[in-house]
Amino acid sequence: MPFFTLLFVFLLLADICVRLWLASRQIRHVARHRDHVPPEFAARIGLPSHQRAADYTIARVRLGMVERVFDAVVLIGLTLMGGLQWIDLAVARLVDDDMLRQLLLMVAVFAVLGLLGLPFTLWRQFRLEARFGFNRMTPALFAVDAVKGIAVGLVLGVPLAAAILWLMAEAGAYWWLWAWCLWMVFNVLLLFIAPAFIAPLFNKFTPLSDPALAERIQRLAQRCGFALNGLFVMDGSRRSAHGNAYFTGFGKTRRIVFFDTLLARLNADEIEAVLAHELGHFALRHIIKRVVLGFAGALLFFAVLGWLAQQPWFYDGLGVLPRLDGPNHAMALILFFLAVPVFTFMLTPLASWYSRRDEFAADRYAAQQSSSNQLVSALVKLYDDNAATLTPDPVHSAFYDSHPPAAVRIRHLTTA
C-alpha cells in the first residue's frame, strides 16, 4: 500500500477514534452532572431546564458519533474503494467537452454527498430538534429552503469552479496564486451581496419597530465606532426556537440583525449587553483578523493544492487515476476538499482556543460599554432557552468549543 494511502488511513482512524473518545467523555460527564444544577446557576435555572439541556446535549453528541462514522465510510467508499473513479468514468461517457465534464463531475460528487447526508439532516431537524421543542420548520419550508440553497449554490459556485478550472489549465505553474486572488475577490463580494440579496431569499427582514430600543442601539454603535446602516428583525421563529443576534455586511450593507425569538426573550438592557459583546468583536478587530487569517490559510491551501495536483501519488494514494481521457483538474479539487479535513482535524483545539480568547476579550469590552450583570443575565437566559449544557466535559470543551464554558465565562464577567 502506498505511503500516502497509509498516512491517509492512519489519520482518518485517528480522527474517528479521537472524536468518539471525546464524544464518550462528553456524554459521561454531562450525564453524571444531569441531576444537579451548578451552584452559580441554581438561582436562575431550574432542575428541569438543566436536565433538558443535558438530554439535548447527549442526544446531539450521539447523533454526531453515528454521523461521523458514516461520513468516514462514505469517504473511504469515494476514495480508496473507487467511488470517485466510477463517477468520473460515468460522467466521461456522457460528456465529451473537458470543461463541462469536469463541472458535471464536481456537481455529481457534491450531489452524492448531499443526498447521503440528507437523512441525518432530516433526523436532526424533524426528530431531535422537534423532540426538545426547537423545530418550527415544516417539511414544505425545508424543501423550499433546500431548492433555494441548491439554486444559490449553482449560480455562485459553478462560475467560480469554472474560473478556477480554467486557471488550472491556462495560467501556468502559478495558477494557484491567481485562483487565490479570485477566491479573495469572490468572498469580499459576498460580504456586500449576501445581506441584501441572498439572506432575504431565506428569511424575512423587517426594520426594528421599537424606537426606544433602536435609539439605544444607535447610541451604543456610535460609542463603539460602528457605522450602522440598519437594524433588522429576522423571522427566525419560522424555523427554530433558538435565538441569536449578529451583524453582517460590509460598507453600506452593514447591519445588525436580531432573531425575533431573541427580542421576545431579552429586555432592553440585556439586548444592549449582547450587542455590546458582538460589537466588541468589531471594535477589537477580531473580524478583520479572522478574515486575514482565513485568506492566509486559503493561500497556503491553494499553494499545497498547486503542488499536489502535479503529483501522481496524490491521485493513486486516494484511489483514482491521475488522468482520464483529458484534463481532470476537477478531481484534484475534489480530492483536496475531501482529504483536507482529515489532515487538519488535529488543529481544531488551536482554532478553538483562539476563538475563546476573542470571546473573553469581547465580554470584557461589553462590560465596559454596557453592564456585565446584564450580559450575565442575558447569557443565562440564552443558555436556558437554547438548552446549552452548563456542565460540558473540560477536555471536550477545550478541543471543540468556540465559546468558553458557561460557568467559566460568567465567572470571568462577575470577577472582572
Side-chain angles (χ1 to χ4, degrees):
M1 184 179 293
F3 172 76
F4 186 67
T5 303
L6 289 173
L7 180 62
F8 175 73
V9 171
F10 171 78
L11 290 176
L12 180 59
L13 290 175
D15 174 304
I16 297 170
C17 290
V18 170
R19 287 179 187 270
L20 295 182
W21 174 67
L22 289 170
S24 63
R25 284 186 60 100
Q26 177 81 330
I27 290 172
R28 290 196 303 270
H29 193 275
V30 171
R32 190 161 54 244
H33 294 85
R34 179 182 182 275
D35 297 324
H36 303 282
V37 181
E40 53 266 58
F41 297 100
R44 301 173 186 251
I45 294 180
L47 180 59
S49 292
H50 176 67
Q51 292 174 328
R52 171 174 173 258
D55 295 341
Y56 179 59
T57 299
I58 291 171
R60 289 178 62 200
V61 172
R62 284 175 174 164
L63 179 61
M65 294 171 75
V66 176
E67 188 173 14
R68 181 53 192 145
V69 173
F70 178 81
D71 288 344
V73 172
V74 170
L75 180 58
I76 291 295
L78 286 174
T79 55
L80 304 185
M81 299 299 292
L84 286 176
Q85 183 73 74
W86 183 87
I87 296 173
D88 202 359
L89 287 170
V91 171
R93 295 190 194 100
L94 296 174
V95 181
D96 293 327
D97 180 79
D98 283 333
M99 177 61 74
L100 183 58
R101 175 176 61 82
Q102 293 187 85
L103 289 173
L104 185 57
L105 171 63
M106 297 181 73
V107 170
V109 170
F110 285 111
V112 168
L113 291 172
L115 288 173
L116 291 175
L118 183 59
F120 290 98
T121 302
L122 292 172
W123 184 274
R124 182 178 291 107
Q125 188 70 45
F126 294 106
R127 292 298 297 272
L128 194 155
E129 292 289 306
R131 173 186 165 193
F132 291 93
F134 290 122
N135 179 55
R136 294 177 180 175
M137 180 179 285
T138 64
L141 181 57
F142 180 89
V144 169
D145 280 354
V147 171
K148 290 180 180 178
I150 292 170
V152 171
L154 291 174
V155 169
L156 296 177
V158 170
L160 177 64
I164 291 176
L165 290 172
W166 182 85
L167 289 171
M168 294 177 76
E170 303 294 338
Y174 291 97
W175 69 263
W176 53 270
L177 186 58
W178 293 106
W180 174 69
C181 293
L182 175 64
W183 176 255
M184 284 200 303
V185 172
F186 175 79
N187 279 273
V188 171
L189 286 175
L190 277 183
L191 291 176
F192 284 96
I193 68 174
F197 299 103
I198 298 177
L201 295 175
F202 298 90
N203 290 98
K204 183 179 179 181
F205 295 83
T206 56
L208 181 64
S209 60
D210 185 336
L213 180 59
E215 181 180 356
R216 186 169 184 169
I217 293 170
Q218 290 283 2
R219 291 198 302 267
L220 172 65
Q222 290 175 359
R223 294 200 305 271
C224 297
F226 186 81
L228 183 60
N229 288 287
L231 292 168
F232 294 89
V233 179
M234 189 185 85
D235 60 340
S237 59
R238 288 185 64 205
R239 292 167 174 81
S240 173
H242 293 293
N244 202 356
Y246 64 93
F247 66 86
T248 184
F250 190 77
K252 293 184 179 180
T253 64
R254 185 181 287 166
R255 58 182 61 183
I256 290 176
V257 177
F258 302 94
F259 284 41
D260 53 0
T261 47
L262 181 82
L263 293 179
R265 185 71 175 96
L266 304 184
N267 62 42
D269 292 332
E270 293 164 341
I271 291 170
E272 181 182 48
V274 169
L275 279 183
H277 169 90
E278 297 301 328
L279 291 172
H281 288 303
F282 163 78
L284 298 172
R285 300 187 180 278
H286 294 162
I287 306 301
I288 190 64
K289 289 176 183 177
R290 292 181 188 183
V291 170
V292 170
L293 282 175
F295 285 155
L299 176 60
L300 175 61
F301 285 148
F302 273 112
V304 172
L305 175 58
W307 174 65
L308 288 175
Q310 304 301 317
Q311 311 303 318
W313 52 262
F314 174 61
Y315 303 88
D316 291 333
L318 294 176
V320 301
L321 295 176
R323 300 286 181 179
L324 284 177
D325 302 322
N328 210 7
H329 303 300
M331 185 62 77
L333 292 174
I334 293 168
L335 289 174
F336 192 74
F337 169 81
L338 293 176
V340 159
V342 175
F343 284 83
T344 59
F345 172 66
M346 294 304 176
L347 297 177
T348 302
L350 180 61
S352 300
W353 167 82
Y354 185 83
S355 177
R356 290 194 300 271
R357 189 193 69 166
D358 284 353
E359 293 301 323
F360 280 129
D363 279 349
R364 290 192 295 270
Y365 183 89
Q368 296 169 358
Q369 297 296 329
S370 57
S371 165
S372 58
N373 290 332
Q374 293 300 326
L375 181 56
V376 168
S377 177
L379 289 173
V380 171
K381 287 183 179 179
L382 292 174
Y383 290 136
D384 190 11
D385 287 354
N386 293 322
T389 181
L390 303 176
T391 56
D393 172 65
V395 178
H396 184 278
S397 180
F399 198 97
Y400 284 120
D401 289 352
S402 60
H403 288 62
V408 175
R409 189 175 181 182
I410 289 176
R411 192 180 309 124
H412 276 245
L413 281 167
T414 55
T415 59

